[in-house]
Coordinates of all heavy atoms in Angstrom, one line a residue:
M177 N 92.4 112.6 113.7 CA 93.8 112.8 113.9 C 94.2 112.6 115.3 O 93.4 113.1 116.2 CB 94.1 114.3 113.5 CG 93.8 114.6 112.0 SD 95.0 113.8 111.0 CE 96.4 114.8 111.3
S178 N 95.3 112.0 115.6 CA 95.7 111.8 116.9 C 96.9 112.6 117.3 O 97.7 112.8 116.6 CB 95.8 110.4 117.3 OG 96.8 109.9 116.5
L179 N 96.9 113.1 118.5 CA 98.1 113.9 119.0 C 99.2 112.9 119.1 O 99.2 111.7 119.4 CB 97.9 114.5 120.3 CG 97.0 115.8 120.4 CD1 96.7 116.2 121.8 CD2 97.7 116.8 119.6
I180 N 100.5 113.4 118.8 CA 101.6 112.6 119.0 C 102.4 113.1 120.2 O 102.2 114.3 120.6 CB 102.6 112.5 117.8 CG1 103.0 114.0 117.4 CG2 101.8 111.9 116.6 CD1 104.0 114.0 116.4
E181 N 103.1 112.2 120.7 CA 103.9 112.7 121.9 C 105.3 111.9 121.8 O 105.4 111.0 121.1 CB 103.3 112.3 123.2 CG 103.1 110.8 123.5 CD 102.4 110.6 124.9 OE1 101.6 111.5 125.3 OE2 102.8 109.6 125.5
C182 N 106.2 112.6 122.4 CA 107.6 112.0 122.4 C 107.6 110.6 123.2 O 107.2 110.6 124.2 CB 108.5 113.1 123.0 SG 110.1 112.3 123.2
P183 N 108.2 109.7 122.5 CA 108.2 108.3 123.1 C 109.2 108.3 124.2 O 109.3 107.4 125.0 CB 108.7 107.4 122.0 CG 109.3 108.3 121.0 CD 108.7 109.6 121.0
N184 N 110.0 109.3 124.2 CA 111.1 109.3 125.3 C 110.7 110.1 126.5 O 110.6 109.6 127.6 CB 112.4 109.9 124.6 CG 113.5 109.8 125.7 OD1 113.8 108.7 126.3 ND2 114.4 110.9 125.9
C185 N 110.2 111.3 126.3 CA 109.9 112.1 127.4 C 108.4 112.5 127.5 O 108.0 113.2 128.5 CB 110.7 113.4 127.4 SG 110.3 114.6 126.2
A186 N 107.7 112.1 126.5 CA 106.2 112.1 126.6 C 105.6 113.6 126.5 O 104.5 113.8 126.6 CB 105.6 111.4 127.8
T187 N 106.5 114.5 126.1 CA 105.9 115.8 125.9 C 105.1 115.8 124.6 O 105.6 115.1 123.6 CB 107.0 116.9 125.9 OG1 106.3 118.1 125.8 CG2 108.0 116.8 124.7
D188 N 104.2 116.7 124.4 CA 103.5 116.8 123.1 C 103.6 118.3 122.7 O 102.9 118.7 121.8 CB 102.1 116.2 123.1 CG 101.2 117.0 124.1 OD1 101.7 117.9 124.7 OD2 100.1 116.5 124.2
E189 N 104.3 119.0 123.3 CA 104.3 120.6 123.2 C 105.5 121.1 122.3 O 105.6 122.1 121.8 CB 104.2 121.2 124.5 CG 102.8 121.0 125.1 CD 102.8 121.7 126.4 OE1 103.8 122.2 127.0 OE2 101.7 121.5 127.0
Q190 N 106.6 120.3 122.4 CA 107.8 120.9 121.8 C 108.3 120.0 120.6 O 109.5 119.8 120.4 CB 108.9 121.0 122.9 CG 108.6 121.9 123.9 CD 109.6 122.0 125.0 OE1 110.9 122.1 124.7 NE2 109.2 121.8 126.3
L191 N 107.3 119.5 119.9 CA 107.7 118.7 118.8 C 107.5 119.4 117.4 O 106.7 120.2 117.3 CB 106.6 117.5 118.7 CG 106.5 116.7 120.0 CD1 105.4 115.6 119.8 CD2 107.8 116.1 120.4
S192 N 108.5 119.1 116.6 CA 108.4 119.5 115.2 C 108.5 118.5 114.2 O 109.3 117.5 114.4 CB 109.5 120.7 115.0 OG 110.8 120.1 115.3
G193 N 107.8 118.6 113.2 CA 107.8 117.5 112.2 C 108.3 118.0 110.9 O 107.9 119.1 110.4
E194 N 109.0 117.2 110.2 CA 109.4 117.6 108.9 C 109.2 116.4 107.9 O 109.6 115.3 108.1 CB 111.0 117.9 108.8 CG 111.3 118.7 107.5 CD 112.6 119.3 107.7 OE1 112.9 119.9 108.8 OE2 113.4 119.2 106.8
R195 N 108.4 116.6 106.9 CA 108.0 115.5 106.0 C 109.2 115.1 105.2 O 109.8 115.9 104.6 CB 107.0 116.0 105.1 CG 106.4 115.0 104.1 CD 105.0 114.8 104.3 NE 104.6 113.7 103.4 CZ 103.4 113.6 102.8 NH1 102.6 114.5 103.0 NH2 103.1 112.7 101.9
E196 N 109.3 113.8 105.1 CA 110.5 113.2 104.3 C 109.8 112.1 103.4 O 109.9 111.0 103.9 CB 111.5 112.7 105.1 CG 112.2 113.7 106.1 CD 113.5 114.3 105.3 OE1 113.6 113.8 104.2 OE2 114.1 115.1 105.9
G197 N 109.2 112.4 102.4 CA 108.5 111.3 101.6 C 107.4 110.8 102.4 O 106.4 111.5 102.7
A198 N 107.4 109.6 102.5 CA 106.2 109.0 103.2 C 106.2 108.9 104.6 O 105.3 108.4 105.3 CB 106.2 107.4 102.7
V199 N 107.2 109.5 105.2 CA 107.3 109.6 106.7 C 107.5 111.0 107.1 O 107.9 111.8 106.3 CB 108.5 108.7 107.2 CG1 108.2 107.3 106.9 CG2 109.8 109.3 106.8
I200 N 107.2 111.2 108.4 CA 107.5 112.5 109.0 C 108.6 112.3 110.0 O 108.4 111.5 110.9 CB 106.2 113.2 109.6 CG1 105.2 113.5 108.6 CG2 106.6 114.4 110.4 CD1 103.9 114.0 109.2
V201 N 109.7 113.0 109.9 CA 110.6 113.0 110.9 C 110.3 113.9 112.0 O 110.3 115.1 111.8 CB 112.1 113.3 110.4 CG1 113.1 113.3 111.4 CG2 112.4 112.3 109.3
V202 N 110.0 113.4 113.2 CA 109.6 114.3 114.3 C 110.9 114.6 115.2 O 111.6 113.5 115.5 CB 108.5 113.7 115.1 CG1 107.9 114.6 116.1 CG2 107.4 113.3 114.1
A203 N 111.0 115.7 115.6 CA 112.1 116.0 116.5 C 111.5 116.6 117.8 O 110.6 117.4 117.8 CB 113.1 117.0 115.9
C204 N 112.0 116.1 118.9 CA 111.5 116.6 120.2 C 112.5 117.8 120.7 O 113.7 117.5 120.8 CB 111.5 115.4 121.2 SG 111.0 116.1 122.9
G205 N 111.9 118.9 120.9 CA 112.7 120.0 121.3 C 113.1 119.9 122.7 O 113.9 120.7 123.3
R206 N 112.5 119.0 123.5 CA 112.8 119.0 124.9 C 113.9 118.0 125.3 O 114.8 118.3 125.9 CB 111.5 118.5 125.7 CG 111.6 118.5 127.2 CD 110.2 118.4 127.8 NE 110.2 117.7 129.0 CZ 109.0 117.4 129.5 NH1 107.9 117.5 129.0 NH2 109.1 116.8 130.8
C207 N 113.8 116.8 124.7 CA 115.0 115.8 125.0 C 115.9 115.6 123.7 O 116.9 115.0 124.0 CB 114.4 114.5 125.4 SG 113.5 113.5 124.2
G208 N 115.5 116.1 122.6 CA 116.4 116.1 121.5 C 116.4 115.0 120.6 O 117.1 114.9 119.7
I209 N 115.5 113.8 120.9 CA 115.5 112.7 120.1 C 114.7 113.0 118.8 O 113.9 114.0 118.7 CB 115.0 111.5 120.8 CG1 113.4 111.5 121.0 CG2 115.8 111.3 122.0 CD1 112.9 110.3 121.3
T210 N 115.0 112.2 117.8 CA 114.2 112.3 116.6 C 113.6 110.8 116.3 O 114.2 109.9 116.6 CB 114.8 112.8 115.4 OG1 116.0 112.0 115.1 CG2 115.5 114.2 115.6
W211 N 112.5 110.8 115.7 CA 111.9 109.5 115.3 C 111.0 109.7 114.0 O 110.7 110.8 113.7 CB 111.2 108.8 116.3 CG 109.9 109.5 116.8 CD1 108.6 109.1 116.3 CD2 109.7 110.6 117.6 NE1 107.7 109.8 116.9 CE2 108.4 110.7 117.7 CE3 110.5 111.4 118.3 CZ2 107.7 111.8 118.4 CZ3 110.0 112.4 119.1 CH2 108.6 112.6 119.1
E212 N 110.8 108.6 113.4 CA 110.0 108.7 112.2 C 108.7 108.2 112.5 O 108.4 107.1 113.2 CB 110.6 107.9 111.0 CG 111.9 108.5 110.6 CD 112.5 107.6 109.4 OE1 111.9 106.6 109.1 OE2 113.5 108.1 108.8
R213 N 107.6 108.7 111.7 CA 106.2 108.2 111.9 C 105.7 108.4 110.6 O 106.0 109.2 109.7 CB 105.3 109.0 112.9 CG 105.2 110.4 112.6 CD 104.5 111.1 113.8 NE 103.2 110.5 114.1 CZ 102.0 111.1 113.7 NH1 102.0 112.0 112.8 NH2 100.9 110.4 114.1
P214 N 104.7 107.5 110.1 CA 104.1 107.6 108.9 C 103.5 108.9 108.7 O 102.8 109.5 109.6 CB 103.0 106.5 108.9 CG 103.4 105.5 109.9 CD 104.2 106.4 110.9
A215 N 103.6 109.5 107.5 CA 103.1 110.9 107.3 C 101.6 110.8 107.6 O 100.9 109.9 107.2 CB 103.4 111.3 105.8
A216 N 101.1 111.8 108.2 CA 99.7 111.8 108.4 C 99.0 111.9 107.1 O 99.2 112.8 106.3 CB 99.3 113.1 109.2
P217 N 98.2 110.9 106.9 CA 97.6 110.8 105.5 C 96.6 111.9 105.3 O 95.6 111.9 106.0 CB 97.1 109.4 105.4 CG 96.8 109.1 106.8 CD 97.8 109.9 107.7
H218 N 96.7 112.7 104.3 CA 95.8 113.7 103.9 C 96.1 114.0 102.5 O 97.1 113.9 101.9 CB 95.7 114.9 104.7 CG 96.9 115.8 104.6 ND1 98.1 115.5 105.3 CD2 97.2 116.9 103.8 CE1 99.0 116.4 104.9 NE2 98.4 117.3 104.0
C219 N 95.0 114.5 101.8 CA 95.1 115.0 100.4 C 95.9 116.3 100.4 O 95.4 117.2 100.9 CB 93.8 114.9 99.8 SG 93.8 115.5 98.1
D220 N 96.9 116.4 99.5 CA 97.5 117.6 99.3 C 96.7 118.7 98.5 O 96.8 120.0 98.6 CB 98.8 117.5 98.5 CG 99.9 116.7 99.3 OD1 99.8 116.8 100.5 OD2 100.7 116.1 98.6
R221 N 95.8 118.1 97.9 CA 95.0 119.0 96.9 C 93.6 119.6 97.6 O 93.5 120.8 97.7 CB 94.5 118.2 95.7 CG 95.8 118.2 94.8 CD 95.6 116.9 93.8 NE 95.9 115.7 94.6 CZ 95.7 114.4 94.1 NH1 95.4 114.3 92.9 NH2 96.0 113.5 94.9
C222 N 92.9 118.7 98.3 CA 91.6 119.1 98.9 C 91.7 119.2 100.4 O 90.9 119.6 101.1 CB 90.4 118.4 98.3 SG 90.3 116.7 99.0
G223 N 92.8 118.6 101.0 CA 92.9 118.6 102.4 C 92.1 117.4 103.1 O 92.2 117.3 104.2
S224 N 91.4 116.6 102.3 CA 90.7 115.5 102.8 C 91.6 114.4 103.6 O 92.7 114.2 103.1 CB 89.8 114.8 101.8 OG 89.3 113.7 102.2
T225 N 91.1 113.9 104.6 CA 91.7 112.9 105.1 C 91.3 111.4 104.8 O 91.6 110.4 105.3 CB 91.7 112.9 106.7 OG1 90.4 113.0 107.2 CG2 92.5 114.1 107.2
D226 N 90.2 111.6 103.9 CA 89.7 110.2 103.4 C 90.6 109.7 102.2 O 90.2 109.9 101.1 CB 88.3 110.5 102.9 CG 87.6 109.2 102.5 OD1 88.1 108.2 102.9 OD2 86.4 109.2 102.0
V227 N 91.8 109.2 102.6 CA 92.8 108.8 101.6 C 93.1 107.4 101.8 O 92.9 106.9 103.0 CB 94.0 109.6 101.6 CG1 93.6 111.2 101.2 CG2 94.6 109.7 103.0
V228 N 93.7 106.8 100.8 CA 94.1 105.4 101.0 C 95.6 105.4 100.5 O 96.0 106.1 99.6 CB 93.4 104.5 100.1 CG1 92.1 104.2 100.8 CG2 93.2 105.0 98.7
A229 N 96.4 104.6 101.1 CA 97.8 104.5 100.8 C 98.0 103.4 99.7 O 97.6 102.2 100.0 CB 98.7 104.2 102.0
Y230 N 98.5 103.7 98.7 CA 98.7 102.7 97.6 C 100.2 102.4 97.4 O 101.0 103.3 97.1 CB 98.0 103.1 96.3 CG 96.7 102.6 96.1 CD1 95.6 103.4 96.4 CD2 96.6 101.4 95.6 CE1 94.3 102.8 96.2 CE2 95.3 100.9 95.4 CZ 94.2 101.5 95.7 OH 92.9 101.1 95.5
P231 N 100.5 101.2 97.4 CA 101.9 100.8 96.9 C 101.8 100.9 95.4 O 101.1 100.3 94.8 CB 102.2 99.4 97.5 CG 100.7 98.8 97.7 CD 99.7 100.0 97.8
V232 N 102.9 101.7 94.9 CA 102.9 101.8 93.5 C 104.4 101.2 93.0 O 105.4 101.7 93.5 CB 102.9 103.2 93.0 CG1 103.1 103.4 91.5 CG2 101.5 103.8 93.4
P233 N 104.4 100.2 92.2 CA 105.6 99.7 91.9 C 106.5 100.6 90.9 O 105.7 101.2 90.0 CB 105.3 98.3 91.1 CG 103.9 98.6 90.7 CD 103.1 99.5 91.6
L234 N 107.7 100.7 91.2 CA 108.5 101.5 90.3 C 109.0 100.6 89.3 O 109.7 99.6 89.6 CB 109.6 102.2 91.0 CG 109.1 103.2 92.0 CD1 110.3 103.9 92.8 CD2 108.1 104.3 91.5
I235 N 108.7 100.8 88.0 CA 109.1 99.9 86.9 C 110.3 100.5 86.2 O 110.4 101.6 85.9 CB 108.0 99.7 85.9 CG1 106.6 99.4 86.6 CG2 108.4 98.6 84.9 CD1 106.7 98.1 87.3
E236 N 111.2 99.6 86.0 CA 112.4 100.0 85.2 C 112.4 99.1 84.0 O 112.4 97.9 84.0 CB 113.6 99.7 85.9 CG 114.9 100.4 85.3 CD 116.0 100.5 86.3 OE1 116.8 99.5 86.4 OE2 116.1 101.5 87.0
R237 N 112.4 99.8 82.8 CA 112.5 99.0 81.5 C 113.9 98.7 81.2 O 114.7 99.6 81.0 CB 111.8 99.8 80.4 CG 110.4 99.8 80.4 CD 109.9 100.7 79.4 NE 108.5 101.3 79.6 CZ 107.4 100.6 79.3 NH1 107.5 99.4 78.5 NH2 106.3 100.9 79.5
S238 N 114.2 97.5 81.2 CA 115.5 97.1 80.7 C 115.5 96.9 79.2 O 114.5 97.2 78.6 CB 116.0 95.9 81.4 OG 115.1 94.8 81.4
R239 N 116.6 96.6 78.7 CA 116.7 96.3 77.2 C 115.5 95.3 76.7 O 115.2 94.4 77.5 CB 118.0 95.7 76.8 CG 118.9 96.9 76.4 CD 120.3 96.4 76.1 NE 121.3 96.7 77.2 CZ 122.2 95.8 77.6 NH1 122.3 94.7 77.1 NH2 122.9 96.2 78.6
G240 N 115.0 95.6 75.6 CA 114.0 94.6 75.2 C 112.7 95.0 75.8 O 112.3 96.2 76.0
T241 N 112.0 94.0 76.1 CA 110.5 94.2 76.6 C 110.4 93.9 78.1 O 109.3 94.0 78.6 CB 109.4 93.4 75.7 OG1 109.9 92.1 75.8 CG2 109.5 93.8 74.3
Q242 N 111.6 93.4 78.6 CA 111.4 93.0 80.0 C 111.2 94.2 81.0 O 111.9 95.2 80.8 CB 112.7 92.2 80.4 CG 112.6 90.7 79.8 CD 113.2 89.7 80.8 OE1 114.2 90.1 81.5 NE2 112.6 88.6 80.8
Q243 N 110.3 94.0 81.9 CA 110.2 95.1 82.9 C 110.6 94.3 84.2 O 110.2 93.2 84.5 CB 108.8 95.6 83.0 CG 108.4 96.3 81.7 CD 106.9 96.8 81.8 OE1 106.1 96.2 82.5 NE2 106.7 97.7 81.0
S244 N 111.1 95.2 85.1 CA 111.3 94.7 86.4 C 111.0 95.7 87.5 O 111.1 96.9 87.2 CB 112.8 94.2 86.6 OG 113.7 95.4 86.3
I245 N 110.4 95.2 88.5 CA 110.0 96.2 89.5 C 111.2 96.5 90.4 O 111.8 95.5 91.0 CB 108.7 95.6 90.4 CG1 107.5 95.5 89.4 CG2 108.5 96.5 91.6 CD1 106.3 94.8 90.1
T246 N 111.7 97.7 90.5 CA 112.9 97.9 91.2 C 112.6 98.5 92.7 O 113.4 98.3 93.5 CB 113.7 99.1 90.5 OG1 112.9 100.2 90.4 CG2 114.1 98.5 89.2
A247 N 111.3 99.0 92.9 CA 111.1 99.4 94.2 C 109.7 99.7 94.2 O 108.8 99.7 93.4 CB 111.8 100.8 94.5
M248 N 109.2 99.9 95.5 CA 107.8 100.2 95.8 C 107.7 101.6 96.3 O 108.4 102.0 97.3 CB 107.1 99.2 96.7 CG 107.0 97.8 96.1 SD 105.9 97.7 94.7 CE 104.3 97.6 95.5
H249 N 106.9 102.4 95.8 CA 106.6 103.7 96.3 C 105.2 103.8 96.9 O 104.3 103.3 96.2 CB 106.8 104.7 95.1 CG 106.3 106.0 95.4 ND1 107.1 107.0 96.1 CD2 105.2 106.7 95.0 CE1 106.4 108.1 96.3 NE2 105.2 108.0 95.5
I250 N 105.1 104.4 98.1 CA 103.7 104.5 98.6 C 103.1 105.8 98.3 O 103.7 106.9 98.6 CB 103.8 104.4 100.1 CG1 104.5 103.1 100.7 CG2 102.3 104.5 100.8 CD1 103.7 101.9 100.2
E251 N 102.1 105.7 97.6 CA 101.4 107.0 97.1 C 100.1 107.2 97.8 O 99.4 106.2 98.0 CB 101.1 106.8 95.6 CG 100.6 107.9 94.9 CD 100.6 107.9 93.3 OE1 101.7 107.6 92.8 OE2 99.6 107.9 92.8
T252 N 99.9 108.4 98.2 CA 98.6 108.7 98.9 C 97.5 109.1 97.8 O 97.7 110.0 97.0 CB 98.8 109.8 99.8 OG1 99.7 109.4 100.8 CG2 97.4 110.1 100.5
M253 N 96.4 108.4 97.8 CA 95.4 108.6 96.8 C 94.1 109.1 97.6 O 93.8 108.5 98.7 CB 95.0 107.4 96.1 CG 96.0 107.0 95.2 SD 95.6 107.0 93.5 CE 96.6 105.6 92.8
C254 N 93.5 110.1 97.1 CA 92.4 110.8 97.8 C 91.1 110.2 97.1 O 91.1 110.0 96.0 CB 92.4 112.2 97.4 SG 90.9 113.1 98.0
R255 N 90.2 109.8 98.0 CA 89.0 109.2 97.4 C 88.2 110.2 96.7 O 87.3 109.8 96.0 CB 88.2 108.6 98.7 CG 88.8 107.3 99.2 CD 87.7 106.6 100.2 NE 88.4 105.8 101.0 CZ 88.7 104.4 100.7 NH1 88.3 104.0 99.5 NH2 89.2 103.6 101.5
V256 N 88.4 111.5 96.8 CA 87.8 112.4 96.1 C 88.5 112.7 94.8 O 87.9 112.6 93.8 CB 87.5 113.8 97.0 CG1 86.8 114.8 96.1 CG2 86.8 113.4 98.3
C257 N 89.7 113.3 94.9 CA 90.5 113.7 93.8 C 90.9 112.6 92.9 O 91.0 112.7 91.7 CB 91.7 114.5 94.2 SG 91.4 115.9 95.2
D258 N 91.1 111.4 93.5 CA 91.6 110.3 92.7 C 90.4 109.2 92.5 O 90.9 108.0 92.3 CB 92.8 109.7 93.4 CG 94.0 110.7 93.4 OD1 94.3 111.2 92.3 OD2 94.7 110.7 94.5
A259 N 89.3 109.6 92.7 CA 88.2 108.7 92.6 C 88.3 107.8 91.3 O 88.1 106.6 91.2 CB 86.9 109.3 92.7
Q260 N 88.6 108.5 90.2 CA 88.6 107.8 88.9 C 89.7 106.7 88.9 O 89.6 105.6 88.5 CB 88.8 108.8 87.8 CG 88.7 108.1 86.4 CD 87.3 107.5 86.1 OE1 86.2 108.2 86.4 NE2 87.2 106.3 85.8
R261 N 90.9 107.1 89.4 CA 92.0 106.3 89.3 C 91.7 105.2 90.3 O 92.1 104.0 90.0 CB 93.3 107.0 89.8 CG 93.9 107.9 88.7 CD 95.1 108.7 89.3 NE 96.3 107.8 89.4 CZ 97.4 108.1 90.0 NH1 97.5 109.3 90.6 NH2 98.4 107.3 90.2
L262 N 91.1 105.4 91.5 CA 90.9 104.3 92.4 C 89.9 103.3 91.7 O 90.1 102.1 91.9 CB 90.3 104.9 93.6 CG 91.4 105.6 94.6 CD1 90.8 106.4 95.7 CD2 92.4 104.6 95.2
S263 N 89.0 103.8 91.1 CA 88.0 102.9 90.5 C 88.6 102.1 89.4 O 88.3 101.0 89.2 CB 86.7 103.5 90.1 OG 86.9 104.4 89.0
D264 N 89.5 102.8 88.7 CA 90.2 102.1 87.6 C 91.0 100.9 88.1 O 91.0 99.8 87.6 CB 91.1 103.0 86.8 CG 90.3 103.9 85.8 OD1 89.1 103.6 85.6 OD2 91.0 104.8 85.3
R265 N 91.7 101.3 89.2 CA 92.6 100.2 89.7 C 92.0 99.1 90.5 O 92.4 98.1 90.5 CB 93.7 101.0 90.5 CG 94.7 100.1 91.1 CD 95.7 100.9 91.9 NE 96.6 101.8 91.0 CZ 97.7 102.3 91.3 NH1 98.2 102.0 92.5 NH2 98.4 103.0 90.5
G266 N 91.0 99.6 91.2 CA 90.4 98.6 92.1 C 91.1 98.5 93.5 O 92.2 98.8 93.6
E267 N 90.4 98.1 94.5 CA 91.0 98.0 95.9 C 91.9 96.9 95.9 O 91.7 95.7 95.6 CB 90.0 97.8 96.8 CG 88.9 99.1 96.9 CD 89.4 100.1 97.8 OE1 90.5 99.9 98.5 OE2 88.8 101.2 97.8
G268 N 93.1 97.2 96.4 CA 94.0 96.1 96.8 C 94.7 95.4 95.7 O 95.4 94.4 95.9
H269 N 94.7 96.0 94.4 CA 95.4 95.2 93.4 C 96.3 96.1 92.7 O 96.3 97.3 92.7 CB 94.2 94.7 92.4 CG 93.3 93.7 92.9 ND1 93.8 92.4 93.1 CD2 92.1 93.7 93.3 CE1 92.8 91.6 93.6 NE2 91.8 92.5 93.7
L270 N 97.3 95.5 92.2 CA 98.3 96.3 91.3 C 97.5 96.7 90.0 O 96.5 96.1 89.6 CB 99.5 95.5 91.1 CG 100.3 95.2 92.2 CD1 101.4 94.2 91.8 CD2 100.9 96.3 92.8
P271 N 98.0 97.8 89.5 CA 97.3 98.2 88.2 C 97.3 97.1 87.2 O 98.3 96.4 87.0 CB 98.1 99.5 87.8 CG 99.3 99.4 88.5 CD 99.2 98.6 89.9
A272 N 96.3 97.1 86.4 CA 96.3 96.1 85.3 C 97.2 96.5 84.3 O 97.9 95.7 83.6 CB 94.9 96.0 84.7
R273 N 97.4 97.8 84.0 CA 98.3 98.2 83.0 C 99.4 98.9 83.6 O 99.3 99.9 84.4 CB 97.5 99.2 82.1 CG 96.3 98.7 81.3 CD 95.8 99.6 80.4 NE 95.4 100.9 81.1 CZ 94.2 100.8 81.8 NH1 93.4 100.0 81.8 NH2 93.8 102.0 82.4
L274 N 100.6 98.5 83.3 CA 101.8 99.0 83.9 C 102.4 100.0 82.9 O 102.4 99.7 81.7 CB 102.8 97.9 84.3 CG 102.4 97.1 85.5 CD1 103.4 95.9 85.6 CD2 102.2 97.8 86.8
G275 N 103.0 101.1 83.4 CA 103.6 102.1 82.5 C 102.5 103.0 81.9 O 102.8 103.7 80.9
Ligands
ZN328 ZN1 111.3 114.1 124.1
ZN329 ZN1 91.6 115.4 97.5

């Protein structure tokens, strides 16, 4: 884990962060600016930082059998808790089975 500091005034003491999905919105209490940084990756369940970020396509089923990917969602997978899912999926590939 690395300390963060304000890109504007370089303080690292008056920062507050609020998680917003895949990013943390950090606010500097000294100069008042806010910025986004990727959420510090860690497992919500076991607290491990041994995690990988997986892009997960959000599939929308339209009429019939056609599927279209409407967005990508970044999901944090834990190498401990999600070991089975990770081995099913394989590194760096989209899931073989969608839906
Ligand atoms: Zn600042
Ligand atoms: Zn975990």
